[in-house]
Amino acid sequence: MSLESDVYEAVKLNSLVFLNKGIKELSSHNDSDDTPLDIDLTTISISLLQISFELALNAYSIKKTGIRSILRNKESDMSDNEISTLFQSNELPTKNFNILLDEMQLRYNLFDTVALHHIRLFQKIRNKLVHLHCNLDEGDRYDLKYELIYFIVHILIWLINTTDIFLSTSQILENQLDDIAYKKLILFQPYVDEMEKLARRDSNNVYRCFFCRENTFATEKELCYTCNYDFADQVFTDCGRCKATDSVIYDHLNIEINDNEARGLCLNCDDDDIYYRCPECENLYGLEASIGVDICTPVKCQQYT
């Protein structure tokens, strides 16, 4: 591997170490009663995630622009051997975070106004915590549990990830995080809430996932944004009870060998019904939801008779 590849991989790995630790700390908060983070957890989570971001920015700069992009001007003319020696001895001097951030923003326009607000906010809090103290009241700590999730989901993970550009945010997080961090994250309600927002951004219809039971199944993406279950091989039909479009999941593979009947569950209203598929016209009916309505039967097709 080249010098730049070696340094990039090392810095990215360090960023992921702090990201995993930060997520484990943040998601250890019991949010069953929607309470603020405690001060210790807030302090540790912000510090870990801000360190992860600063490392990720260095890694991104190396990946996109080269190793010398993170060096101070007076060291940028050093040879690869000199840079490698200083890196191996832990003495490689790098640019100030704010300078590098401004340069990367000017060159690549990485962050919008909202993202920059979060970046500056966490940098400010982290610096105060490290150098003296930061007073954070309950209202601040309540908001921070959502702002930290926003920071992870919309900023940090996309800075770390430079390859899986066609995957969803939730898929990238699953790929990049260790198993423990990811499993803790998807059980943390502020994260689930953010995934529901993303699902509703990406799909007109969002239903409850059959597997994790969160309201994060984006039908147009055929993906649950919480557990990442891929619904591409599943078949859906409309609900006879609530009339939601393509909301009922049923056993389409075995319906024919079971007298054209299969149990179905609506992922919108949770109605559980037996669905009958007419072998002639292939229309599907929820039997309980269709009581009192003329529907196809095994002896008569409403469409072709």
Side-chain angles (χ1 to χ4, degrees):
M1 295 176 69
S2 68
L3 168 64
E4 288 176 346
S5 295
D6 287 341
V7 177
Y8 166 76
E9 291 298 335
V11 177
K12 178 184 175 182
L13 180 60
N14 286 338
S15 177
L16 285 170
V17 167
F18 285 100
L19 175 59
N20 280 301
K21 292 290 186 181
I23 286 174
K24 289 172 187 175
E25 284 292 332
L26 178 61
S27 56
S28 68
H29 171 69
N30 182 354
D31 203 51
S32 58
D33 294 326
D34 194 23
T35 54
L37 303 174
D38 66 49
I39 189 63
D40 290 351
L41 195 149
T42 304
T43 299
I44 296 170
S45 298
I46 289 177
S47 299
L48 291 171
L49 292 172
Q50 180 61 24
I51 292 171
S52 176
F53 177 81
E54 293 183 15
L55 288 165
L57 186 67
N58 275 300
Y60 185 93
S61 182
I62 294 168
K63 181 81 169 180
K64 294 292 186 180
T65 319
I67 183 68
R68 288 167 178 79
S69 66
I70 68 168
L71 303 182
R72 297 180 307 192
N73 289 338
K74 62 182 180 180
E75 283 89 14
S76 60
D77 291 332
M78 290 191 299
S79 68
D80 283 1
N81 286 337
E82 290 174 311
I83 294 172
S84 179
T85 298
L86 290 173
F87 178 71
Q88 294 299 328
S89 62
N90 302 315
E91 296 179 353
L92 186 64
T94 58
K95 287 176 181 174
N96 172 274
F97 168 74
N98 287 319
I99 293 174
L100 183 61
L101 176 62
D102 290 343
E103 289 178 354
M104 288 295 99
Q105 181 67 8
L106 182 63
R107 183 185 292 266
Y108 297 110
N109 194 28
L110 291 173
F111 310 111
D112 62 19
T113 303
V114 176
L116 285 171
H117 164 76
H118 282 81
I119 293 167
R120 300 297 188 192
L121 171 66
F122 294 131
Q123 180 198 15
K124 180 180 179 180
I125 295 175
R126 183 253 187 178
N127 288 344
K128 286 181 178 293
L129 290 169
V130 169
H131 297 294
L132 186 62
H133 179 68
C134 185
N135 292 306
L136 297 168
D137 62 28
E138 283 195 355
D140 295 328
R141 288 182 276 116
Y142 180 86
D143 292 340
L144 279 167
K145 67 181 179 181
Y146 294 100
E147 290 173 338
L148 284 167
I149 287 297
Y150 185 95
F151 186 61
I152 293 166
V153 168
H154 294 277
I155 303 169
L156 185 46
I157 196 60
W158 284 101
L159 191 62
I160 291 173
N161 173 71
T162 57
T163 55
D164 298 326
I165 59 174
F166 297 110
L167 297 182
S168 70
T169 301
S170 57
Q171 290 170 321
I172 292 169
L173 281 162
E174 184 175 19
N175 288 348
Q176 297 288 350
L177 300 178
D178 67 43
D179 287 343
I180 295 175
Y182 180 71
K183 288 175 181 177
K184 287 174 72 70
L185 182 64
I186 64 175
L187 294 175
F188 188 47
Q189 192 57 48
Y191 173 78
V192 176
D193 293 344
E194 193 63 35
M195 288 301 102
E196 182 174 352
K197 291 178 185 177
L198 287 182
R200 295 191 184 283
R201 181 197 70 184
D202 296 343
S203 178
N204 287 322
N205 292 323
V206 174
Y207 299 136
R208 185 174 292 108
C209 175
F210 180 79
F211 297 95
C212 72
R213 306 304 290 156
E214 299 292 355
N215 291 310
T216 50
F217 168 36
T219 60
E220 292 174 32
K221 298 295 183 179
E222 301 179 317
L223 181 73
C224 173
Y225 277 32
T226 297
C227 70
N228 284 331
Y229 185 83
D230 187 343
F231 285 86
D233 293 331
Q234 302 297 326
V235 175
F236 297 86
T237 190
D238 299 347
C239 179
R241 189 78 65 185
C242 71
K243 312 304 180 184
T245 303
D246 287 335
S247 63
V248 175
I249 187 171
Y250 66 98
D251 186 4
H252 67 284
L253 295 176
N254 296 307
I255 192 170
E256 186 172 349
I257 63 174
N258 287 300
D259 297 324
N260 292 303
E261 292 185 353
R263 185 163 293 280
L265 176 68
C266 178
L267 302 182
N268 184 56
C269 70
D270 276 339
D271 183 62
D272 185 4
D273 202 346
I274 299 296
Y275 278 76
Y276 172 73
R277 184 175 68 187
C278 176
E280 298 295 325
C281 65
E282 297 190 344
N283 285 332
L284 273 160
Y285 304 91
L287 296 182
E288 292 182 9
S290 300
I291 293 175
V293 179
D294 289 335
I295 63 173
C296 298
T297 68
V299 297
K300 181 181 180 182
C301 172
Q302 293 290 331
Q303 184 169 337
Y304 294 122
T305 58

